[in-house]
Amino acid sequence: MSHGARVIRTGVSSGGPAAPPPVTVASSSAGSDAELMDGGYFRSCAGMLKVAQMISLLIGFISVNNSPWTDYSAYSFFQIVTMCDLVMILFFYIMHIFRVYRKLTCVSWPLAEFLHYLIGTILLLIGSIVAAAKSYNITGLVAGATFGFLATILCVISMWSSYKVSCITQSTSKYR
């Protein structure tokens, strides 16, 4: 089945010798392989979303850590989940900044990040619900649970945008 005519451009034409290729200048936001860091990721929506997630997780952890606990198991679970999520988000943030995904091609990085967000978001939601239920109106615990819910919402947004970009774009691009 043909999807239309395709034009293949080569450097040689039938009218004479080939012209030299045009010189292009790479922009600093797109970055090249020679650069160590991707400066454009700092200002991208995904990068700022990861920073917002890390800040909300850190505030939630500090709020719960500096409050008098009423239930040890609920808040220790909340602290473990927030710190594990924070470390993993920081790991993926550093991986994007230093372009590690280009060098380690044996790992499906979009799938790994999607699975992290899926599992981490479910555990963070459970931890936030339990922390909110066991807070007994202690302000630090309520604040920790609130920032846990905020981080959960940010993780859902990041997971949705990751799925939308990596899966939906790939499925529609084969028909172009």
Side-chain angles (χ1 to χ4, degrees):
M1 176 187 324
S2 175
H3 291 288
R6 295 183 185 217
V7 177
I8 300 174
R9 298 179 193 255
T10 61
V12 181
S13 67
S14 61
V23 178
T24 59
V25 178
S27 66
S28 62
S29 65
S32 65
D33 288 334
E35 292 178 10
L36 180 62
M37 293 176 61
D38 186 8
Y41 191 74
F42 291 116
R43 294 175 299 277
S44 72
C45 184
M48 288 189 283
L49 193 58
K50 279 187 181 23
V51 169
Q53 291 166 1
M54 289 187 285
I55 290 171
S56 64
L57 286 169
L58 187 63
I59 291 173
F61 174 80
I62 291 171
S63 298
V64 167
N65 194 40
N66 292 334
S67 297
W69 291 4
T70 55
D71 189 358
Y72 181 76
S73 62
Y75 292 107
S76 60
F77 176 75
F78 181 80
Q79 285 186 320
I80 290 169
V81 168
T82 55
M83 278 297 103
C84 287
D85 264 359
L86 179 72
V87 168
M88 288 304 296
I89 291 169
L90 181 64
F91 170 76
F92 283 113
Y93 187 71
I94 290 171
M95 183 200 66
H96 281 289
I97 289 175
F98 291 108
R99 298 185 182 133
V100 175
Y101 59 91
R102 290 185 183 177
K103 293 168 183 53
L104 295 175
T105 57
C106 60
V107 177
S108 174
W109 291 108
L111 179 63
E113 193 168 2
F114 178 76
L115 289 176
H116 157 258
Y117 276 120
L118 181 67
I119 294 168
T121 302
I122 292 170
L123 290 175
L124 189 59
L125 180 65
I126 292 169
S128 298
I129 289 171
V130 171
K134 304 272 183 169
S135 67
Y136 302 112
N137 292 329
I138 299 172
T139 56
L141 300 178
V142 172
T146 303
F147 279 103
F149 284 122
L150 177 65
T152 303
I153 291 168
L154 292 173
C155 287
V156 167
I157 291 170
S158 184
M159 185 172 50
W160 178 78
S161 66
S162 171
Y163 172 76
K164 185 181 85 168
V165 169
S166 64
C167 297
I168 295 173
T169 304
Q170 289 177 2
S171 67
T172 59
S173 65
K174 70 179 183 180
Y175 295 112
R176 290 183 183 177

